[in-house]
Amino acid sequence: MRLGSYYRMCSLRASGVQFQARRVLDVGSHDGILLNVVEGDLRVGVDLNPQPVYGRVAMVQADGNRLPFCSGCFDQVIATDVIEHMPDAQNLINEMLRVVCPGGRIFLSTPSAHIRMFPPFLTGWISNSWEHYWRRGYTKEELLKIITSEGHTKNAICLEWNAPAYRFCYLILRLLWAFAPNLVQPVVKMVARWDAMHPRGRYGFYWMWVEK
């Protein structure tokens, strides 16, 4: 389990976000940690290098730019911190919208283009350690432009998740996580709850809901 994946799961829970649909797809799922806590009859994770851990999650090795599923076969599609890794973000979004059914929703998260870690001068190094080779993140305006450019969405809502506590504590959390992740998990939950009380700001992440 990765620190970032665990924090995202905790932050979504702390903010009250729930993924509830009969058929759910997670693009860039890695080990399926998020799908494991999703309510659904069919939970499918896609990753270039899947690490199956949870028996209730079906893992598929595939590229998010070429999803091996028929159009409209999922009720909800998730991609947490994936779009910034893609050289062609528009193609990824188009594929997610293709496989979600009419009236279904997609959820994606990404770092802000203005993300600022602590101490600030290490932001670039941390971003590179997250393998953000194409770009560090997106602005809200860029995300909305990508989502709406194809004209096949009804509603798109972009929310700020500033993550002040996570960004401030990240280095120490990452160091401790490498040695004793089970002991650090309660701390990460506390950090996520604090961040849920302070979501506004452009130096953390963006969450986006899109209805097809």
Side-chain angles (χ1 to χ4, degrees):
M1 189 189 307
R2 298 181 295 194
L3 170 61
S5 299
Y6 188 74
Y7 170 76
R8 281 194 298 273
M9 182 182 70
C10 292
S11 60
L12 290 167
R13 281 179 165 178
S15 65
V17 172
Q18 293 183 334
F19 301 113
Q20 292 181 326
R22 192 166 62 87
R23 302 162 300 174
V24 185
L25 173 68
D26 185 9
V27 181
S29 186
H30 184 57
D31 58 2
I33 181 176
L34 186 57
L35 285 173
N36 189 54
V37 297
V38 167
E39 296 295 332
D41 297 329
L42 176 65
R43 288 166 288 183
V44 180
V46 165
D47 201 279
L48 287 174
N49 185 29
Q51 305 292 320
V53 174
Y54 307 98
R56 300 191 301 167
V57 178
M59 299 296 294
V60 177
Q61 185 173 20
D63 187 343
N65 288 304
R66 296 183 296 275
L67 293 172
F69 309 108
C70 62
S71 298
C73 61
F74 291 97
D75 303 301
Q76 197 163 79
V77 181
I78 306 165
T80 55
D81 292 8
V82 173
I83 189 173
E84 69 274 9
H85 295 278
M86 298 293 190
D88 188 350
Q90 187 68 69
N91 188 74
L92 171 67
I93 296 300
N94 290 346
E95 275 292 275
M96 293 174 66
L97 288 169
R98 179 184 66 80
V99 300
V100 76
C101 65
R105 297 198 299 172
I106 71 172
F107 173 86
L108 62 90
S109 67
T110 184
S112 165
H114 307 288
I115 191 169
R116 184 181 299 172
M117 306 300 290
F118 181 84
F121 69 87
L122 287 180
T123 298
W125 177 80
I126 293 172
S127 186
N128 287 336
S129 74
W130 290 344
E131 299 182 359
H132 293 167
Y133 304 135
W134 294 103
R135 59 186 302 154
R136 187 170 296 178
Y138 284 84
T139 66
K140 185 183 296 186
E141 293 73 20
E142 288 172 332
L143 287 173
L144 289 170
K145 182 178 180 180
I146 293 171
I147 291 294
T148 58
S149 63
E150 296 298 313
H152 50 194
T153 60
K154 294 180 180 178
N155 297 297
I157 301 174
C158 192
L159 305 174
E160 296 172 349
W161 183 260
N162 199 38
Y166 181 67
R167 291 186 292 109
F168 184 82
C169 300
Y170 176 76
L171 285 180
I172 185 64
L173 288 175
R174 181 169 172 174
L175 178 63
L176 295 174
W177 189 271
F179 295 99
N182 291 336
L183 296 179
V184 182
Q185 287 179 14
V187 179
V188 176
K189 290 180 180 178
M190 292 175 57
V191 167
R193 287 195 291 267
W194 172 268
D195 287 343
M197 295 186 290
H198 307 84
R200 301 297 299 274
R202 67 183 190 125
Y203 298 119
F205 302 84
Y206 289 117
W207 294 355
M208 179 166 281
W209 286 99
V210 182
E211 181 182 351
K212 184 173 179 180

